[in-house]
Short mmCIF file of all heavy atoms in Angstrom, two decimals:
data_model
loop_
_atom_site.label_atom_id
_atom_site.label_comp_id
_atom_site.label_asym_id
_atom_site.label_seq_id
_atom_site.Cartn_x
_atom_site.Cartn_y
_atom_site.Cartn_z
N MET A 1 36.04 34.67 -12.32
CA MET A 1 35.97 34.40 -10.88
C MET A 1 34.52 34.36 -10.41
O MET A 1 34.11 33.47 -9.66
CB MET A 1 36.75 35.48 -10.12
CG MET A 1 36.87 35.16 -8.63
SD MET A 1 37.79 33.63 -8.33
CE MET A 1 37.55 33.46 -6.55
N ILE A 2 33.74 35.33 -10.85
CA ILE A 2 32.33 35.37 -10.44
C ILE A 2 31.59 34.13 -10.95
O ILE A 2 30.74 33.57 -10.25
CB ILE A 2 31.66 36.66 -10.97
CG1 ILE A 2 32.27 37.87 -10.25
CG2 ILE A 2 30.16 36.61 -10.74
CD1 ILE A 2 31.74 39.20 -10.75
N VAL A 3 31.95 33.69 -12.15
CA VAL A 3 31.30 32.50 -12.72
C VAL A 3 31.58 31.28 -11.86
O VAL A 3 30.69 30.47 -11.58
CB VAL A 3 31.79 32.28 -14.17
CG1 VAL A 3 31.22 30.97 -14.70
CG2 VAL A 3 31.38 33.44 -15.05
N ILE A 4 32.81 31.15 -11.41
CA ILE A 4 33.18 29.99 -10.58
C ILE A 4 32.40 30.00 -9.27
O ILE A 4 31.85 28.99 -8.84
CB ILE A 4 34.70 29.98 -10.32
CG1 ILE A 4 35.44 29.79 -11.64
CG2 ILE A 4 35.04 28.88 -9.32
CD1 ILE A 4 36.94 29.90 -11.50
N VAL A 5 32.32 31.18 -8.65
CA VAL A 5 31.58 31.29 -7.39
C VAL A 5 30.11 30.94 -7.62
O VAL A 5 29.48 30.24 -6.82
CB VAL A 5 31.71 32.72 -6.82
CG1 VAL A 5 30.79 32.88 -5.61
CG2 VAL A 5 33.16 33.00 -6.43
N GLY A 6 29.55 31.41 -8.74
CA GLY A 6 28.16 31.12 -9.05
C GLY A 6 27.92 29.62 -9.21
O GLY A 6 26.91 29.09 -8.75
N LEU A 7 28.85 28.94 -9.86
CA LEU A 7 28.71 27.50 -10.04
C LEU A 7 28.76 26.77 -8.70
O LEU A 7 28.01 25.82 -8.46
CB LEU A 7 29.82 26.98 -10.96
CG LEU A 7 29.65 27.31 -12.45
CD1 LEU A 7 30.88 26.88 -13.23
CD2 LEU A 7 28.40 26.63 -13.00
N ILE A 8 29.64 27.22 -7.83
CA ILE A 8 29.76 26.59 -6.51
C ILE A 8 28.46 26.78 -5.73
O ILE A 8 27.93 25.84 -5.13
CB ILE A 8 30.96 27.17 -5.73
CG1 ILE A 8 32.26 26.78 -6.43
CG2 ILE A 8 30.94 26.69 -4.29
CD1 ILE A 8 33.51 27.44 -5.83
N VAL A 9 27.92 27.99 -5.75
CA VAL A 9 26.68 28.27 -5.03
C VAL A 9 25.54 27.41 -5.59
O VAL A 9 24.75 26.83 -4.85
CB VAL A 9 26.32 29.77 -5.12
CG1 VAL A 9 24.91 30.00 -4.58
CG2 VAL A 9 27.35 30.60 -4.36
N ALA A 10 25.46 27.31 -6.93
CA ALA A 10 24.41 26.51 -7.55
C ALA A 10 24.53 25.05 -7.13
O ALA A 10 23.53 24.38 -6.85
CB ALA A 10 24.49 26.64 -9.07
N PHE A 11 25.76 24.54 -7.10
CA PHE A 11 25.98 23.15 -6.71
C PHE A 11 25.53 22.91 -5.27
O PHE A 11 24.88 21.92 -4.96
CB PHE A 11 27.47 22.81 -6.87
CG PHE A 11 27.80 21.40 -6.45
CD1 PHE A 11 27.46 20.33 -7.26
CD2 PHE A 11 28.43 21.16 -5.24
CE1 PHE A 11 27.76 19.04 -6.87
CE2 PHE A 11 28.74 19.87 -4.86
CZ PHE A 11 28.40 18.81 -5.67
N ILE A 12 25.86 23.84 -4.39
CA ILE A 12 25.46 23.71 -2.98
C ILE A 12 23.94 23.69 -2.85
O ILE A 12 23.37 22.89 -2.12
CB ILE A 12 26.08 24.85 -2.15
CG1 ILE A 12 27.61 24.69 -2.09
CG2 ILE A 12 25.50 24.86 -0.74
CD1 ILE A 12 28.32 25.85 -1.43
N LEU A 13 23.27 24.58 -3.60
CA LEU A 13 21.82 24.64 -3.54
C LEU A 13 21.20 23.33 -4.02
O LEU A 13 20.23 22.84 -3.46
CB LEU A 13 21.31 25.80 -4.39
CG LEU A 13 21.55 27.20 -3.80
CD1 LEU A 13 21.10 28.28 -4.77
CD2 LEU A 13 20.81 27.35 -2.48
N ILE A 14 21.77 22.75 -5.09
CA ILE A 14 21.25 21.48 -5.61
C ILE A 14 21.37 20.39 -4.55
O ILE A 14 20.45 19.60 -4.33
CB ILE A 14 22.00 21.09 -6.90
CG1 ILE A 14 21.61 22.04 -8.03
CG2 ILE A 14 21.68 19.64 -7.29
CD1 ILE A 14 22.44 21.84 -9.29
N VAL A 15 22.51 20.35 -3.87
CA VAL A 15 22.73 19.33 -2.83
C VAL A 15 21.71 19.51 -1.70
O VAL A 15 21.11 18.55 -1.22
CB VAL A 15 24.17 19.42 -2.29
CG1 VAL A 15 24.32 18.53 -1.06
CG2 VAL A 15 25.16 19.02 -3.37
N ILE A 16 21.51 20.76 -1.28
CA ILE A 16 20.59 21.02 -0.18
C ILE A 16 19.17 20.60 -0.55
O ILE A 16 18.49 19.91 0.19
CB ILE A 16 20.62 22.52 0.19
CG1 ILE A 16 21.97 22.87 0.83
CG2 ILE A 16 19.48 22.85 1.15
CD1 ILE A 16 22.14 24.35 1.09
N PHE A 17 18.72 20.99 -1.76
CA PHE A 17 17.34 20.71 -2.14
C PHE A 17 17.12 19.22 -2.42
O PHE A 17 16.04 18.70 -2.20
CB PHE A 17 16.94 21.54 -3.36
CG PHE A 17 16.55 22.95 -2.99
CD1 PHE A 17 17.44 23.99 -3.11
CD2 PHE A 17 15.28 23.21 -2.50
CE1 PHE A 17 17.10 25.28 -2.76
CE2 PHE A 17 14.92 24.50 -2.14
CZ PHE A 17 15.83 25.55 -2.27
N SER A 18 18.14 18.53 -2.90
CA SER A 18 17.97 17.11 -3.20
C SER A 18 17.93 16.28 -1.92
O SER A 18 17.36 15.21 -1.90
CB SER A 18 19.12 16.62 -4.10
OG SER A 18 20.34 16.74 -3.41
N ASN A 19 18.50 16.78 -0.85
CA ASN A 19 18.49 16.04 0.41
C ASN A 19 17.34 16.45 1.32
O ASN A 19 17.06 15.77 2.29
CB ASN A 19 19.81 16.27 1.17
CG ASN A 19 20.95 15.53 0.50
OD1 ASN A 19 20.73 14.54 -0.19
ND2 ASN A 19 22.15 16.02 0.69
N ARG A 20 16.68 17.53 1.00
CA ARG A 20 15.69 18.07 1.91
C ARG A 20 14.52 17.10 2.11
O ARG A 20 13.88 17.09 3.15
CB ARG A 20 15.17 19.40 1.37
CG ARG A 20 14.37 20.19 2.39
CD ARG A 20 13.90 21.49 1.79
NE ARG A 20 13.04 21.26 0.63
CZ ARG A 20 12.37 22.20 0.00
NH1 ARG A 20 12.45 23.42 0.41
NH2 ARG A 20 11.63 21.91 -1.04
N GLY A 21 14.21 16.30 1.08
CA GLY A 21 13.03 15.45 1.13
C GLY A 21 13.03 14.45 2.26
O GLY A 21 12.00 14.20 2.86
N THR A 22 14.17 13.87 2.55
CA THR A 22 14.19 12.79 3.53
C THR A 22 14.72 13.23 4.88
O THR A 22 14.56 12.53 5.86
CB THR A 22 15.08 11.64 3.03
OG1 THR A 22 16.37 12.15 2.75
CG2 THR A 22 14.49 11.01 1.78
N ARG A 23 15.34 14.36 4.93
CA ARG A 23 16.03 14.73 6.16
C ARG A 23 15.08 14.89 7.34
O ARG A 23 15.38 14.50 8.45
CB ARG A 23 16.79 16.04 5.93
CG ARG A 23 17.65 16.43 7.11
CD ARG A 23 18.44 17.68 6.79
NE ARG A 23 19.40 17.44 5.72
CZ ARG A 23 20.07 18.41 5.12
NH1 ARG A 23 19.84 19.66 5.45
NH2 ARG A 23 20.93 18.13 4.19
N GLN A 24 13.92 15.47 7.09
CA GLN A 24 13.03 15.79 8.20
C GLN A 24 12.03 14.68 8.51
O GLN A 24 11.28 14.78 9.46
CB GLN A 24 12.25 17.07 7.87
CG GLN A 24 13.16 18.27 7.70
CD GLN A 24 13.85 18.65 8.99
OE1 GLN A 24 13.31 18.46 10.06
NE2 GLN A 24 15.05 19.17 8.89
N CYS A 25 12.01 13.63 7.69
CA CYS A 25 10.95 12.64 7.85
C CYS A 25 11.29 11.63 8.93
O CYS A 25 12.38 11.09 8.98
CB CYS A 25 10.68 11.92 6.53
SG CYS A 25 9.30 12.64 5.66
N ARG A 26 10.31 11.39 9.79
CA ARG A 26 10.44 10.34 10.80
C ARG A 26 9.20 9.46 10.71
O ARG A 26 8.15 9.80 11.24
CB ARG A 26 10.56 10.98 12.18
CG ARG A 26 11.87 11.74 12.36
CD ARG A 26 11.90 12.41 13.70
NE ARG A 26 10.72 13.27 13.86
CZ ARG A 26 10.52 14.05 14.91
NH1 ARG A 26 11.37 14.07 15.88
NH2 ARG A 26 9.44 14.80 14.97
N TRP A 27 9.35 8.35 10.00
CA TRP A 27 8.21 7.49 9.76
C TRP A 27 7.91 6.64 10.99
O TRP A 27 8.79 6.02 11.56
CB TRP A 27 8.48 6.61 8.55
CG TRP A 27 8.56 7.40 7.29
CD1 TRP A 27 9.70 7.77 6.64
CD2 TRP A 27 7.48 7.93 6.54
NE1 TRP A 27 9.36 8.50 5.53
CE2 TRP A 27 8.03 8.62 5.43
CE3 TRP A 27 6.10 7.89 6.69
CZ2 TRP A 27 7.23 9.26 4.49
CZ3 TRP A 27 5.31 8.54 5.75
CH2 TRP A 27 5.87 9.20 4.67
N ARG A 28 6.65 6.60 11.34
CA ARG A 28 6.21 5.77 12.46
C ARG A 28 5.20 4.77 11.94
O ARG A 28 4.34 5.10 11.13
CB ARG A 28 5.52 6.65 13.52
CG ARG A 28 6.45 7.71 14.09
CD ARG A 28 7.06 7.25 15.40
NE ARG A 28 8.06 8.21 15.87
CZ ARG A 28 7.77 9.30 16.57
NH1 ARG A 28 6.53 9.57 16.89
NH2 ARG A 28 8.73 10.12 16.96
N GLU A 29 5.29 3.56 12.43
CA GLU A 29 4.37 2.51 12.02
C GLU A 29 3.00 2.75 12.63
O GLU A 29 2.88 3.05 13.82
CB GLU A 29 4.92 1.15 12.46
CG GLU A 29 4.21 -0.02 11.82
CD GLU A 29 4.89 -1.34 12.19
OE1 GLU A 29 6.11 -1.33 12.43
OE2 GLU A 29 4.17 -2.34 12.24
N ASP A 30 1.97 2.63 11.83
CA ASP A 30 0.60 2.79 12.30
C ASP A 30 -0.15 1.50 12.03
O ASP A 30 -0.69 1.28 10.95
CB ASP A 30 -0.06 3.97 11.58
CG ASP A 30 -1.47 4.22 12.13
OD1 ASP A 30 -1.89 3.47 13.03
OD2 ASP A 30 -2.13 5.15 11.64
N ARG A 31 -0.17 0.61 13.01
CA ARG A 31 -0.71 -0.73 12.80
C ARG A 31 -2.21 -0.72 12.60
O ARG A 31 -2.76 -1.67 12.04
CB ARG A 31 -0.35 -1.62 13.99
CG ARG A 31 1.15 -1.78 14.12
CD ARG A 31 1.52 -2.83 15.14
NE ARG A 31 2.97 -3.00 15.21
CZ ARG A 31 3.58 -3.91 15.94
NH1 ARG A 31 2.86 -4.74 16.67
NH2 ARG A 31 4.90 -4.00 15.95
N SER A 32 -2.88 0.30 13.03
CA SER A 32 -4.33 0.34 12.86
C SER A 32 -4.71 0.52 11.40
O SER A 32 -5.85 0.29 11.02
CB SER A 32 -4.92 1.49 13.69
OG SER A 32 -4.46 2.74 13.19
N GLY A 33 -3.74 0.94 10.57
CA GLY A 33 -4.04 1.19 9.16
C GLY A 33 -3.56 0.10 8.23
O GLY A 33 -3.67 0.24 7.02
N ASP A 34 -3.03 -0.99 8.79
CA ASP A 34 -2.54 -2.06 7.92
C ASP A 34 -3.68 -2.71 7.15
O ASP A 34 -4.77 -2.92 7.68
CB ASP A 34 -1.85 -3.13 8.77
CG ASP A 34 -0.53 -2.63 9.34
OD1 ASP A 34 -0.16 -1.51 9.03
OD2 ASP A 34 0.08 -3.39 10.12
N CYS A 35 -3.43 -3.04 5.89
CA CYS A 35 -4.44 -3.74 5.11
C CYS A 35 -3.79 -4.43 3.92
O CYS A 35 -2.87 -3.90 3.31
CB CYS A 35 -5.53 -2.78 4.63
SG CYS A 35 -4.96 -1.50 3.52
N ASP A 36 -4.28 -5.63 3.60
CA ASP A 36 -3.83 -6.39 2.44
C ASP A 36 -2.31 -6.58 2.43
O ASP A 36 -1.68 -6.50 1.38
CB ASP A 36 -4.26 -5.69 1.15
CG ASP A 36 -5.78 -5.69 1.01
OD1 ASP A 36 -6.41 -6.57 1.62
OD2 ASP A 36 -6.30 -4.82 0.31
N GLY A 37 -1.74 -6.80 3.60
CA GLY A 37 -0.30 -7.04 3.65
C GLY A 37 0.53 -5.79 3.53
O GLY A 37 1.75 -5.85 3.54
N MET A 38 -0.13 -4.66 3.41
CA MET A 38 0.60 -3.40 3.32
C MET A 38 0.70 -2.79 4.71
O MET A 38 -0.27 -2.81 5.47
CB MET A 38 -0.15 -2.42 2.40
CG MET A 38 -0.45 -3.00 1.04
SD MET A 38 0.78 -2.59 -0.18
CE MET A 38 0.43 -0.86 -0.44
N LYS A 39 1.84 -2.27 5.02
CA LYS A 39 2.01 -1.60 6.30
C LYS A 39 1.83 -0.09 6.13
O LYS A 39 2.32 0.50 5.17
CB LYS A 39 3.39 -1.89 6.88
CG LYS A 39 3.45 -3.25 7.56
CD LYS A 39 4.63 -3.33 8.50
CE LYS A 39 4.59 -4.60 9.33
NZ LYS A 39 3.42 -4.62 10.24
N LYS A 40 1.13 0.47 7.08
CA LYS A 40 0.89 1.90 7.02
C LYS A 40 1.92 2.64 7.87
O LYS A 40 2.18 2.25 9.01
CB LYS A 40 -0.52 2.23 7.51
CG LYS A 40 -0.85 3.71 7.47
CD LYS A 40 -2.26 3.97 8.00
CE LYS A 40 -2.59 5.45 7.97
NZ LYS A 40 -3.93 5.73 8.54
N PHE A 41 2.48 3.67 7.31
CA PHE A 41 3.43 4.50 8.04
C PHE A 41 2.96 5.95 8.00
O PHE A 41 2.38 6.41 7.02
CB PHE A 41 4.83 4.41 7.43
CG PHE A 41 5.51 3.10 7.71
CD1 PHE A 41 5.36 2.03 6.85
CD2 PHE A 41 6.27 2.94 8.84
CE1 PHE A 41 5.98 0.81 7.10
CE2 PHE A 41 6.89 1.73 9.11
CZ PHE A 41 6.74 0.67 8.23
N ARG A 42 3.22 6.62 9.10
CA ARG A 42 2.86 8.02 9.19
C ARG A 42 4.10 8.81 9.58
O ARG A 42 4.84 8.43 10.47
CB ARG A 42 1.76 8.21 10.23
CG ARG A 42 1.20 9.61 10.25
CD ARG A 42 0.03 9.68 11.25
NE ARG A 42 -0.55 11.01 11.26
CZ ARG A 42 -0.04 12.03 11.94
NH1 ARG A 42 1.03 11.84 12.66
NH2 ARG A 42 -0.61 13.21 11.89
N CYS A 43 4.31 9.91 8.89
CA CYS A 43 5.48 10.73 9.17
C CYS A 43 5.18 11.66 10.33
O CYS A 43 4.23 12.44 10.27
CB CYS A 43 5.85 11.54 7.93
SG CYS A 43 7.21 12.67 8.23
N ALA A 44 6.00 11.55 11.37
CA ALA A 44 5.78 12.37 12.56
C ALA A 44 6.21 13.81 12.32
O ALA A 44 5.84 14.71 13.07
CB ALA A 44 6.55 11.79 13.74
N ALA A 45 6.98 14.03 11.29
CA ALA A 45 7.50 15.37 11.04
C ALA A 45 6.54 16.21 10.22
O ALA A 45 6.33 17.38 10.51
CB ALA A 45 8.84 15.28 10.34
N CYS A 46 5.94 15.61 9.18
CA CYS A 46 5.11 16.41 8.27
C CYS A 46 3.68 15.87 8.17
O CYS A 46 2.85 16.48 7.53
CB CYS A 46 5.75 16.49 6.89
SG CYS A 46 5.79 14.92 6.02
N GLY A 47 3.39 14.72 8.79
CA GLY A 47 2.03 14.22 8.78
C GLY A 47 1.65 13.42 7.56
O GLY A 47 0.50 13.00 7.42
N ALA A 48 2.59 13.19 6.64
CA ALA A 48 2.29 12.42 5.44
C ALA A 48 2.03 10.96 5.80
O ALA A 48 2.56 10.45 6.79
CB ALA A 48 3.44 12.52 4.45
N GLN A 49 1.20 10.29 4.99
CA GLN A 49 0.92 8.89 5.21
C GLN A 49 1.34 8.10 3.98
O GLN A 49 1.20 8.58 2.86
CB GLN A 49 -0.57 8.67 5.48
CG GLN A 49 -1.01 9.33 6.78
CD GLN A 49 -2.48 9.07 7.07
OE1 GLN A 49 -3.21 8.57 6.23
NE2 GLN A 49 -2.90 9.41 8.28
N ALA A 50 1.85 6.89 4.22
CA ALA A 50 2.29 6.07 3.10
C ALA A 50 2.13 4.61 3.44
O ALA A 50 2.13 4.22 4.61
CB ALA A 50 3.75 6.38 2.76
N PHE A 51 1.96 3.79 2.39
CA PHE A 51 1.86 2.35 2.57
C PHE A 51 3.03 1.67 1.86
O PHE A 51 3.40 2.07 0.76
CB PHE A 51 0.54 1.83 1.97
CG PHE A 51 -0.67 2.30 2.71
CD1 PHE A 51 -1.26 3.52 2.39
CD2 PHE A 51 -1.21 1.52 3.72
CE1 PHE A 51 -2.38 3.96 3.09
CE2 PHE A 51 -2.34 1.96 4.40
CZ PHE A 51 -2.92 3.18 4.09
N THR A 52 3.60 0.65 2.53
CA THR A 52 4.67 -0.10 1.89
C THR A 52 4.40 -1.59 2.03
O THR A 52 3.75 -2.03 2.98
CB THR A 52 6.05 0.21 2.52
OG1 THR A 52 6.04 -0.24 3.87
CG2 THR A 52 6.35 1.70 2.48
N LYS A 53 4.88 -2.36 1.08
CA LYS A 53 4.74 -3.81 1.15
C LYS A 53 5.93 -4.47 1.80
O LYS A 53 5.88 -5.63 2.17
CB LYS A 53 4.58 -4.38 -0.27
CG LYS A 53 3.20 -4.14 -0.86
CD LYS A 53 3.06 -4.84 -2.21
CE LYS A 53 1.64 -4.67 -2.76
NZ LYS A 53 1.47 -5.34 -4.06
N THR A 54 7.03 -3.75 1.93
CA THR A 54 8.25 -4.34 2.47
C THR A 54 8.26 -4.36 3.98
O THR A 54 9.08 -5.05 4.58
CB THR A 54 9.48 -3.55 1.98
OG1 THR A 54 9.36 -2.19 2.42
CG2 THR A 54 9.56 -3.56 0.46
N GLY A 55 7.37 -3.60 4.62
CA GLY A 55 7.37 -3.53 6.06
C GLY A 55 8.36 -2.51 6.59
O GLY A 55 8.51 -2.37 7.80
N ARG A 56 9.02 -1.86 5.68
CA ARG A 56 9.98 -0.83 6.10
C ARG A 56 9.42 0.55 5.77
O ARG A 56 8.64 0.70 4.84
CB ARG A 56 11.31 -1.02 5.38
CG ARG A 56 12.03 -2.28 5.80
CD ARG A 56 13.35 -2.39 5.08
NE ARG A 56 14.11 -3.58 5.51
CZ ARG A 56 15.29 -3.91 5.02
NH1 ARG A 56 15.84 -3.15 4.10
NH2 ARG A 56 15.91 -4.98 5.45
N PRO A 57 9.85 1.53 6.51
CA PRO A 57 9.36 2.90 6.25
C PRO A 57 9.77 3.37 4.86
O PRO A 57 10.80 2.94 4.32
CB PRO A 57 10.06 3.74 7.33
CG PRO A 57 10.47 2.77 8.37
CD PRO A 57 10.73 1.47 7.68
N PRO A 58 8.98 4.26 4.27
CA PRO A 58 9.35 4.85 2.99
C PRO A 58 10.67 5.60 3.10
O PRO A 58 11.05 6.04 4.18
CB PRO A 58 8.20 5.82 2.69
CG PRO A 58 7.08 5.36 3.55
CD PRO A 58 7.70 4.76 4.77
N THR A 59 11.34 5.75 1.98
CA THR A 59 12.64 6.41 1.99
C THR A 59 12.53 7.88 1.59
O THR A 59 13.52 8.59 1.59
CB THR A 59 13.61 5.71 1.04
OG1 THR A 59 13.01 5.65 -0.25
CG2 THR A 59 13.92 4.31 1.52
N ILE A 60 11.33 8.29 1.22
CA ILE A 60 11.17 9.68 0.79
C ILE A 60 10.06 10.33 1.60
O ILE A 60 9.20 9.66 2.14
CB ILE A 60 10.83 9.78 -0.70
CG1 ILE A 60 9.54 9.03 -0.99
CG2 ILE A 60 11.98 9.24 -1.54
CD1 ILE A 60 8.99 9.25 -2.38
N CYS A 61 10.11 11.63 1.65
CA CYS A 61 9.03 12.38 2.28
C CYS A 61 7.98 12.68 1.24
O CYS A 61 8.29 13.10 0.13
CB CYS A 61 9.58 13.69 2.85
SG CYS A 61 8.30 14.67 3.66
N GLN A 62 6.72 12.45 1.57
CA GLN A 62 5.65 12.64 0.60
C GLN A 62 4.87 13.92 0.86
O GLN A 62 3.77 14.10 0.35
CB GLN A 62 4.71 11.44 0.66
CG GLN A 62 5.45 10.16 0.39
CD GLN A 62 4.53 9.01 0.06
OE1 GLN A 62 3.32 9.12 0.21
NE2 GLN A 62 5.09 7.91 -0.41
N ARG A 63 5.44 14.79 1.60
CA ARG A 63 4.75 16.02 1.94
C ARG A 63 4.41 16.83 0.70
O ARG A 63 3.35 17.42 0.61
CB ARG A 63 5.62 16.85 2.88
CG ARG A 63 5.11 18.25 3.11
CD ARG A 63 5.93 18.94 4.15
NE ARG A 63 7.36 18.78 3.91
CZ ARG A 63 8.30 19.22 4.71
NH1 ARG A 63 7.97 19.82 5.83
NH2 ARG A 63 9.57 19.04 4.43
N ASP A 64 5.35 16.85 -0.25
CA ASP A 64 5.17 17.71 -1.42
C ASP A 64 4.57 16.98 -2.61
O ASP A 64 4.53 17.51 -3.70
CB ASP A 64 6.51 18.32 -1.83
CG ASP A 64 7.06 19.20 -0.72
OD1 ASP A 64 6.26 19.81 -0.01
OD2 ASP A 64 8.28 19.25 -0.55
N MET A 65 4.16 15.74 -2.42
CA MET A 65 3.63 14.97 -3.54
C MET A 65 2.12 15.08 -3.62
O MET A 65 1.47 15.38 -2.64
CB MET A 65 4.05 13.50 -3.42
CG MET A 65 5.55 13.34 -3.53
SD MET A 65 6.07 11.64 -3.31
CE MET A 65 5.48 10.92 -4.82
ZN1 LIG B 1 7.66 13.78 6.19
#
């Protein structure tokens, strides 16, 4: 019984940590930083900066990278 509970808790923790990266990120376009066709985005939540070629915000938070 204890083993089953432990597995459930571990699974929940994995789900939480795997989703934590993107949950808090709110990417904002920063046109002053555009260059070479790359769009600059700045995360309003953690302050991370990223460049993308697609014109869309990054899908991950780069705070811990
Ligand atoms: Zn962020």
Side-chain angles (χ1 to χ4, degrees):
M1 187 62 187
I2 292 177
V3 174
I4 295 174
V5 173
L7 286 174
I8 293 173
V9 170
F11 178 75
I12 293 173
L13 287 176
I14 290 173
V15 171
I16 291 174
F17 279 98
S18 63
N19 287 335
R20 193 180 60 172
T22 56
R23 185 176 295 170
Q24 298 294 329
C25 263
R26 292 177 305 184
W27 293 101
R28 299 263 174 85
E29 193 174 331
D30 184 359
R31 297 190 178 185
S32 65
D34 290 357
C35 63
D36 295 336
M38 306 265 288
K39 280 199 172 295
K40 180 181 180 183
F41 287 90
R42 188 176 182 279
C43 176
C46 67
Q49 295 182 349
F51 293 87
T52 64
K53 285 185 176 180
T54 59
R56 292 181 178 180
T59 55
I60 59 171
C61 180
Q62 302 196 350
R63 170 174 48 184
D64 298 327
M65 296 177 71

